[in-house]
């Protein structure tokens, strides 16, 4: 039995058909909430009236009562909770959250597609580094390993960090004074080029373990990953050209290490 | 529960400023660490590492040609026709050795690092083929390899110290690390044919021993010559060559791990 609260019923002045809906204290109200016709029950006192805070600037009344929830689009998610007296509004907060975190899913998808082509590499896409794509790939890698019965999430994350540090040290030492590969971009590149290994771990679920096929597949995917990683590193950081073979060997070691996790 | 169908147009117009703001927040949130580690990486390496070691940049001035020839020297030291002395050139009043690009006898750190990495990966492979692979076992191999490297460094450093010669620490680290090339070759041969272990292993130990002896002799005699401890020097050199055998057997033996 729901607990009774002594809360006066909230009356929403409604413009649809003239019927007012009163939401009593026991109703959840999420389904009955008519966002487009809602006006906030109070205006929070603005301590600094000259400063126009952006979060109350949305015009709720102009939004159409359609099924799309694009109406309550606002610049920060904070203003919503102070304005509404209703529920927590979880799915209204979801829309700007990804963008606030800087996870640009379209960019991740574009970068992923560029890695999928082993022969042609587009380095301009990877010029701005991000860590959310690699994180996604590593979680997928861990998931496929889990499906194979191995719990490797922490190991994968730790090994990626160590491998990126290794590549960072080797590249900057080889390139000399002009080397400008920073650690953030290095982790991003190593993580993105992990995609072939993730695909390999998915395919290895269907191939008999210990057979020759696993090793051959592994070799193909490791060489693919090495190729892409070397090309990206050499083209994105300066002074990498004359050390291409040396960097390629370092990348090869890194991806062979991860393929060991998949094969054995 | 109504699932909001996102309006792509509204999302598009807000995508770019959010993207910039989000990453800006994350970047500025890292604060001081962000500047240090995400900023100019090469300068960070130069300034901080050179305080403790003797300019590690020198040891990474390599190219493909050097690496290939140096590997040949390390693995087949008796085929090396030329001399073993390092070329010195006068730089700013004192003598400095030429970087590895110009001098095949100069030590470098790229090959030892890569050889160590290859050793770890290849032993991981052979552990897997025996059915004993696990990430913990690989970490154990890594630590074992590091311990072996350290023992080799102590051996060489002790040798030089007992004969009164000084040498930069990174030089010794580099000479000690060349042993891993032989080890990687031996373990790889063992993977393909298990009986090859019995003749490739002594061969590789011998080659590394000869390489180290010749290099240490050059390091000893690079300074002012003194013939007082000649016999002690020769016994110690022999000891270095002989000590390679137990070290290699300890590091490459997979069956008891």
């Amino acid at each position: 039995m729901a607990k009774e609260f002594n809360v006066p019923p909230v009356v929403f002045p409604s413009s649809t058909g003239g019927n007012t809906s009163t939401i009593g204290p026991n109703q959840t109200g999420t389904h009955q909430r008519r966002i487009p016709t809602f006006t906030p029950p109070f205006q929070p006192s603005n301590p600094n009236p000259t400063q126009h805070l952006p979060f109350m600037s949305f015009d709720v009344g102009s939004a159409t009562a359609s099924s799309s929830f694009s109406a309550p689009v606002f610049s920060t998610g904070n203003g919503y909770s102070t304005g509404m007296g209703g529920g927590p509004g979880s799915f209204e907060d979801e829309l700007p959250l990804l963008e606030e975190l800087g996870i640009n899913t379209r960019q991740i998808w574009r970068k992923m597609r560029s890695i999928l082509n082993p022969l042609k590499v587009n380095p301009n896409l990877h010029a701005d580094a991000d860590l959310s794509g690699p994180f996604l790939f590593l979680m997928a890698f861990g998931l496929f390993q889990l499906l194979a019965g191995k719990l490797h999430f922490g190991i994968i994350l730790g090994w990626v960090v160590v491998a990126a540090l290794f590549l960072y040290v080797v590249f900057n030492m080889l390139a000399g004074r002009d080397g400008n590969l920073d650690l953030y971009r290095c982790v991003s590149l190593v993580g993105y080029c992990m995609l072939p290994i993730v695909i390999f771990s998915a395919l290895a679920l269907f191939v008999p373990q210990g057979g020759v096929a696993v090793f051959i597949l592994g070799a193909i995917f490791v060489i693919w990953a090495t190729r892409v990683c070397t090309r990206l590193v050499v083209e994105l950081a300066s002074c990498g050209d004359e050390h291409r073979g040396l960097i390629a060997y370092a990348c090869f070691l890194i991806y062979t290490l991860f393929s060991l996790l998949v094969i054995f | 529960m109504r699932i909001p169908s996102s309006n792509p147009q509204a999302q598009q117009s807000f995508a770019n400023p959010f993207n910039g703001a989000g990453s800006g927040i994350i970047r500025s949130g890292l604060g001081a660490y962000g500047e240090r580690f995400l900023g100019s990486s090469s300068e960070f390496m130069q300034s901080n590492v050179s305080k403790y070691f003797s300019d590690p940049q020198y040891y990474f001035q390599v190219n493909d040609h050097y690496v290939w020839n140096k590997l040949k020297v390390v693995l087949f030291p008796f085929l090396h026709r030329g001399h073993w002395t390092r070329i010195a050139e006068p730089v700013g009043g004192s003598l400095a050795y030429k970087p590895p690009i110009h001098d095949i006898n100069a030590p470098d750190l790229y090959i030892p690092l890569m050889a160590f990495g290859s050793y770890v990966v290849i032993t991981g492979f052979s552990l897997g083929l025996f059915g004993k692979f696990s990430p913990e076992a690989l970490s154990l191999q890594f630590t074992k390899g590091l311990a072996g490297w350290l023992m080799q460094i102590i051996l060489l450093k002790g040798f030089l110290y007992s004969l009164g010669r000084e040498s930069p620490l990174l030089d010794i680290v580099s000479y000690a690390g060349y042993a891993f090339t032989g080890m990687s070759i031996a373990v790889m041969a063992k993977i393909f044919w298990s009986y090859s272990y019995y003749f490739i292993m002594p061969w590789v130990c011998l080659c590394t021993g000869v390489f180290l002896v010749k290099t240490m002799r050059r390091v000893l005699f690079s300074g002012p010559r003194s013939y007082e401890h000649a016999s002690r020097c020769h016994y110690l050199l022999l000891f270095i060559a002989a000590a390679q055998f137990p070290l290699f057997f300890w590091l490459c033996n997979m069956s008891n791990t």
Side-chain angles (χ1 to χ4, degrees), chain A residues 33-48:
Chain A
R33 204 166 25 190
R34 283 173 209 153
I35 306 277
T37 61
F38 167 76
T39 54
F42 71 98
Q43 297 280 338
S45 60
N46 201 345
N48 197 356

Side-chain angles (χ1 to χ4, degrees), chain B:
Chain B
M1 179 77 115
R2 242 182 292 169
I3 297 170
S5 63
S6 58
N7 193 350
Q9 207 169 32
Q11 208 174 28
Q12 197 80 11
S13 58
F14 283 94
N16 287 334
F18 289 153
N19 207 13
S23 65
I25 288 169
I26 291 175
R27 292 260 176 133
S28 63
L30 286 173
Y33 296 114
E35 268 311 295
R36 239 177 151 217
F37 293 113
L38 308 181
S40 168
S41 50
S42 174
E43 280 168 26
F44 172 68
M45 299 244 47
Q46 311 288 328
S47 60
N48 284 37
V49 180
S50 59
K51 268 189 263 180
Y52 305 106
F53 299 109
S54 55
D55 182 30
Q57 184 59 51
Y58 166 84
Y59 299 94
F60 279 93
Q61 289 170 336
V62 293
N63 61 359
D64 288 348
H65 179 258
Y66 169 82
V67 168
W68 178 239
N69 287 332
K70 189 72 175 193
L71 280 176
K72 284 198 292 195
V73 167
V74 171
L75 293 172
F76 307 106
F78 22 79
L79 292 178
H80 186 212
R81 292 288 159 223
H83 56 88
W84 287 76
T85 46
R86 286 167 74 175
I87 308 169
E89 57 179 359
V91 157
S94 64
L95 279 182
Y97 288 117
K98 275 202 172 165
I101 272 192
H102 301 121
D103 182 12
I104 191 66
N105 295 316
D108 76 309
L109 274 180
Y110 175 80
I111 293 180
L113 213 60
M114 291 299 136
F116 183 70
S118 313
Y119 163 76
V120 172
V121 169
I122 294 178
T123 46
F125 220 79
S126 89
L127 273 179
L129 286 174
F130 284 128
K132 295 201 215 94
F133 180 83
S134 76
E136 291 78 26
L138 200 67
S139 311
L140 191 70
Q141 275 298 91
F142 177 81
T143 319
K144 213 166 134 182
L146 268 186
W149 199 346
L150 201 70
M151 282 202 287
Q152 186 94 299
I153 293 174
I154 290 175
L155 177 75
L156 294 175
K157 202 72 174 166
F159 167 75
L160 285 177
Y161 180 72
S162 70
L163 290 168
R165 292 281 307 146
E166 282 284 322
S167 194
L169 178 66
L170 282 184
D171 274 13
I172 309 289
V173 169
S174 159
Y175 294 136
Y178 284 125
F180 284 104
T181 57
M183 272 188 240
S184 309
I185 304 273
V187 183
M188 190 142 63
K190 190 177 176 195
I191 287 178
F192 288 116
W193 186 35
S194 58
Y195 290 114
S196 69
Y197 187 70
Y198 292 112
F199 56 89
I200 295 234
M201 186 59 115
W203 168 263
V204 152
C205 292
L206 201 68
C207 287
T208 313
V210 168
F211 171 78
L212 279 178
V213 161
K214 291 208 169 162
T215 324
M216 284 297 122
R217 267 183 55 171
R218 280 297 142 201
V219 171
L220 267 185
F221 297 147
S222 63
R225 297 196 176 200
S226 67
Y227 293 95
E228 319 161 351
H229 304 293
S231 66
R232 183 149 75 122
C233 158
H234 288 139
Y235 281 127
L236 282 178
L237 281 173
L238 211 61
F239 176 69
I240 286 181
Q244 299 305 305
F245 284 82
L247 187 75
F248 273 54
F249 274 99
W250 176 57
L251 281 175
C252 297
N253 196 7
M254 291 297 120
S255 53
N256 58 357
T257 40

Side-chain angles (χ1 to χ4, degrees), chain A:
Chain A
M1 281 245 319
K3 200 173 160 195
E4 292 277 344
F5 294 103
N6 321 347
V7 172
V10 180
V11 177
F12 294 104
S14 157
S15 63
T16 62
N19 54 336
T20 58
S21 63
T22 52
I23 295 180
N26 289 341
Q27 292 174 14
T28 54
T30 26
H31 301 286
Q32 276 78 29
R33 204 166 25 190
R34 283 173 209 153
I35 306 277
T37 61
F38 167 76
T39 54
F42 71 98
Q43 297 280 338
S45 60
N46 201 345
N48 197 356
T50 56
Q51 188 186 25
H52 181 63
L53 294 170
F55 63 87
M56 292 301 280
S57 63
F58 59 92
D59 193 6
V60 187
S62 66
T64 56
S66 60
S67 60
S68 88
F69 272 77
S70 62
V73 175
F74 38 82
S75 38
T76 65
N78 299 333
Y80 195 69
S81 49
T82 54
M84 279 290 251
S90 57
F91 51 87
E92 280 89 5
D93 276 342
E94 226 172 83
L95 263 179
L97 184 67
L98 268 188
E99 282 136 9
E100 248 187 72
L101 289 176
I103 301 174
N104 189 353
T105 42
R106 277 202 193 93
Q107 182 77 348
I108 295 176
W109 176 242
R110 262 184 254 135
K111 286 189 190 178
M112 213 167 104
R113 273 212 326 255
S114 81
I115 305 246
L116 281 176
N117 183 0
L119 301 169
K120 195 167 87 90
V121 156
N122 182 4
N124 302 323
L125 275 179
H126 292 266
D128 55 335
D130 78 297
L131 286 185
S132 44
F135 187 70
L136 230 65
F137 292 162
L138 296 179
M139 285 294 118
F141 189 16
L143 184 74
F144 290 131
Q145 288 292 91
L146 194 64
L147 284 175
K150 312 171 202 165
L151 194 62
H152 281 163
F153 284 102
I155 291 165
I156 291 168
L157 285 175
W159 281 15
V160 160
V161 172
V162 170
L165 211 67
F166 175 70
L167 189 63
Y168 166 78
V169 164
V170 169
F171 183 84
N172 281 320
M173 284 306 193
L174 278 178
R177 238 149 263 287
D178 316 314
N180 65 347
L181 183 75
D182 35 298
L183 193 57
Y184 188 71
R185 185 180 280 183
C186 193
V187 179
S188 170
L189 283 177
V190 169
Y192 268 110
C193 299
M194 196 67 93
L195 181 64
I197 308 287
V198 176
I199 297 176
F200 174 49
S201 74
L203 285 179
L205 291 172
F206 302 107
V207 175
Q209 204 191 16
V212 189
V214 167
F215 290 106
I216 296 177
L217 263 185
I220 294 173
F221 283 102
V222 163
I223 291 178
W224 175 5
T226 311
R227 227 182 119 90
V228 177
C229 190
T230 319
R231 295 267 285 275
L232 282 177
V233 165
V234 163
E235 281 178 38
L236 280 178
S238 57
C239 299
D241 256 341
E242 58 260 23
H243 302 120
R244 200 178 270 252
L246 305 179
I247 293 169
Y249 188 67
C251 295
F252 176 75
L253 279 182
I254 292 175
Y255 291 114
T256 315
L257 193 69
F258 282 100
S259 74
L260 280 183
L261 273 184
V262 178
I263 297 177
F264 296 112

